[in-house]
Amino acid sequence: MDEYGNSGEGRATRRDEAVRAAVEQGLLGPDSPIVGLLDVTGIRESAAELRAAFAEVTAPGTPVLHAFAVKATPLVPVLRLLREEGIGAEVASPGELALARAAGLSPAETVLDSPAKTPAELREALALGIAVNADNPQELDRIDGLVRSAVSRSPLGIRVNPQVGGGSIGATSTATATSKFGVALRDEGAREWVVRAYLDRPWLSRLHAHTGSQGIPLPLMAQGVAETYALAEEINRRIGRPQIDTIDIGGGLPVNFASDVTAPTYAEYARALREAVPGLFDGRYGLVTEFGRSLLAKHGTIVARVEYTKSAGGRAVAVTHAGVQVATRTVYVPGSWPLRITAYDGKGRPKSGPEVVQDVAGPACFAGDLLAEGRALPLLDQGDYAAALDTGAYYFAHHYAYNSLARPGIYGFVPDHAGGVRFATVRDPQTLASIVAESGGAHAGALTTLHAPGSR
Ligand SMILES: *Cc1c(COP(=O)(O)O)cnc(C)c1O
């Protein structure tokens, strides 16, 4: 195992201990049949690994802001923990900005990147001094107006799409020819438009691209960053001074969902970037990164109780409390987003025994609500637990309210001094009263009191 636990052994041990302790301590049981668990030790390790990886490849004194993509795990305590580890926030909506502010992040630690910023959002960001990357010419027009009308400390840039191509998953490929994000650099006239935008605006000091994502190979990511760097160099050359002083390389490092091993690592990515784009690291540019999934995915686990087991058409089926509401992508697009499942017994101990091909089903009322189909696992029994691994990003923090299923409680954990596990509540389980309130409970009569002319 290396310094950061990238072989994943420590992580797997901590996870097993946490599941057992969650059952022992009553966080998990017949009356609370699903939880999300967050490995605080692992999150700290990944944050430290990210910082060290870029510190190793950048010239001494280079300003580097690692801004966590809040959309990956939009939970205030997670943002606060990352902040303590020296990680800022990349936000893409008023809600995400509110979460970052609630976590105590300062404007200087925050970057705003949404593709659909309203005039009010832009005004607020510039008033606060938050960095903004304009997505398109119309947005830049709006920013022009704001810059003319008030002084702002916000570092401002433009997001470009180098159009280097997509990866194996269409929905998360940001750098295809027709991606909706940023200014499409290879389109006719676009590059010249970008250069002119900087020539005309001495206050534009950043350039942004986010080309990576799950399913994208490292060389393609490095190519996207290389093309962004080349554009910054061209712009500064044409202007005759280093007007662009910071390059935001986005996030998108893929995550290994097949085992506990962290691969690729931040260190590998940083070295691949330095190899492909040495000039980016020689100290002339500050850097911003926006990693999301790779910081949190491997540190989250969904654990769900097996309510019933049955057999259908010769297939063993375990009906659990985790399905589409917490693993939406996996349930709807299982081929692109398979999750590892581990089996625990009713006391939360890893289950052994011969593997049996079975379906691990969720609680929602449609046939396709399967966490895993035809998976070989020790046979799950009623009262056992099934855990969906690597779900710390884009899973239990992204509840989908199908069947009005409640958002599960989320708990962070660390080992304690006595060989046990300590938990802290990150998010309370959703109450039924809250479900009713969020479903128009305060407006129960709203539609029956609304009559069209001539109707009863
Ligand atoms: C989603 C997103 C990220 C984070 O992507 P990950 O794949 O989670 O690392 C970073 N920057 C922008 C602009 C994004 O939209």
Side-chain angles (χ1 to χ4, degrees):
M1 183 158 44
D2 67 22
E3 182 189 351
Y4 294 110
N6 284 325
S7 75
E9 286 164 44
R11 183 183 300 150
T13 307
R14 285 195 301 273
R15 180 174 63 227
D16 286 349
E17 295 290 310
V19 172
R20 191 182 41 70
V23 174
E24 260 169 33
Q25 296 179 30
L27 294 179
L28 255 179
D31 298 326
S32 49
I34 173 168
V35 295
L37 301 179
L38 282 168
D39 176 2
V40 172
T41 314
I43 296 170
R44 287 192 194 274
E45 279 175 1
S46 285
E49 184 185 5
L50 172 59
R51 295 213 338 264
F54 280 80
E56 191 194 309
V57 298
T58 43
T62 304
V64 182
L65 171 66
H66 296 293
F68 173 63
V70 170
K71 80 166 178 282
T73 310
L75 296 166
V76 173
V78 168
L79 304 183
R80 172 75 61 91
L81 172 66
L82 289 173
R83 177 173 189 264
E84 194 179 282
E85 291 295 331
I87 308 285
E90 185 264 354
V91 299
S93 70
E96 289 181 0
L97 176 55
L99 298 185
R101 297 182 77 184
L105 283 127
S106 69
E109 296 165 318
T110 309
V111 177
L112 174 65
D113 275 342
S114 124
K117 307 173 197 82
T118 62
E121 267 181 274
L122 287 169
R123 201 176 315 113
E124 185 190 17
L126 266 63
L128 290 169
I130 288 171
V132 176
N133 292 309
D135 181 83
N136 58 67
Q138 293 176 353
E139 186 182 336
L140 192 59
D141 277 350
R142 288 184 177 176
I143 293 176
D144 279 342
L146 290 166
V147 166
R148 271 194 300 272
S149 69
V151 183
S152 169
R153 283 172 294 114
S154 292
L156 300 168
I158 296 179
R159 177 171 183 172
V160 294
N161 167 14
Q163 292 166 297
V164 291
S168 60
I169 305 175
T172 57
S173 290
T174 44
T176 57
T178 56
S179 159
K180 72 173 180 182
F181 295 115
V183 178
L185 218 45
R186 293 185 187 176
D187 283 11
E188 174 113 37
R191 194 177 183 93
E192 192 51 32
W193 179 86
V194 173
V195 175
R196 277 245 68 90
Y198 283 83
L199 276 163
D200 294 345
R201 295 171 184 79
W203 41 267
L204 274 179
S205 62
R206 291 192 171 185
L207 186 63
H208 173 223
H210 166 65
T211 57
S213 256
Q214 191 63 24
I216 305 232
L218 282 197
L220 193 61
M221 289 184 67
Q223 191 193 336
V225 174
E227 301 211 1
T228 309
Y229 166 78
L231 176 62
E233 291 281 278
E234 178 185 338
I235 292 169
N236 284 347
R237 213 168 30 241
R238 298 254 311 258
I239 296 177
R241 68 179 182 94
Q243 179 177 317
I244 295 179
D245 60 23
T246 301
I247 299 183
D248 181 339
I249 64 170
L253 193 68
V255 165
N256 167 29
F257 284 96
S259 79
D260 277 317
V261 175
T262 301
T265 63
Y266 288 124
E268 284 160 357
Y269 182 46
R271 283 185 216 122
L273 282 180
R274 188 177 52 183
E275 188 100 331
V277 205
L280 181 59
F281 300 98
D282 64 12
R284 289 175 301 132
Y285 292 100
L287 289 177
V288 176
T289 74
E290 305 170 346
F291 296 101
R293 182 180 288 110
S294 54
L295 264 170
L296 258 294
K298 299 205 82 68
H299 310 307
T301 306
I302 297 166
V303 194
R305 190 172 163 90
V306 177
E307 195 65 54
Y308 299 109
T309 57
K310 60 211 285 192
S311 166
R315 173 71 57 85
V317 181
V319 180
T320 79
H321 287 274
V324 75
Q325 89 277 30
V326 285
T328 315
R329 274 185 173 157
T330 295
V331 169
Y332 285 134
V333 197
S336 292
W337 302 98
L339 287 173
R340 289 184 295 148
I341 308 289
T342 54
Y344 295 92
D345 68 16
K347 295 204 153 94
R349 297 170 305 200
K351 206 164 179 183
S352 51
E355 297 201 328
V356 175
V357 170
Q358 54 199 301
D359 288 355
V360 182
C365 296
F366 68 100
D369 186 27
L370 300 174
L371 266 189
E373 189 173 5
R375 191 70 62 87
L377 290 170
L379 187 64
L380 286 161
D381 286 319
Q382 191 173 33
D384 286 349
Y385 294 92
L389 311 190
D390 307 324
T391 47
Y394 303 105
Y395 281 95
F396 53 72
H398 290 63
H399 190 79
Y400 172 53
Y402 202 98
N403 276 143
S404 301
L405 288 160
R407 286 190 289 267
I410 298 176
Y411 306 93
F413 66 85
V414 289
D416 72 11
H417 293 302
V421 177
R422 272 182 58 203
F423 291 99
T425 301
V426 169
R427 182 183 76 189
D428 288 314
Q430 190 180 23
T431 61
L432 297 183
S434 148
I435 293 177
V436 172
E438 289 184 20
S439 306
H443 310 285
L447 301 181
T448 51
T449 56
L450 204 56
H451 298 286
S455 73
R456 188 172 61 85

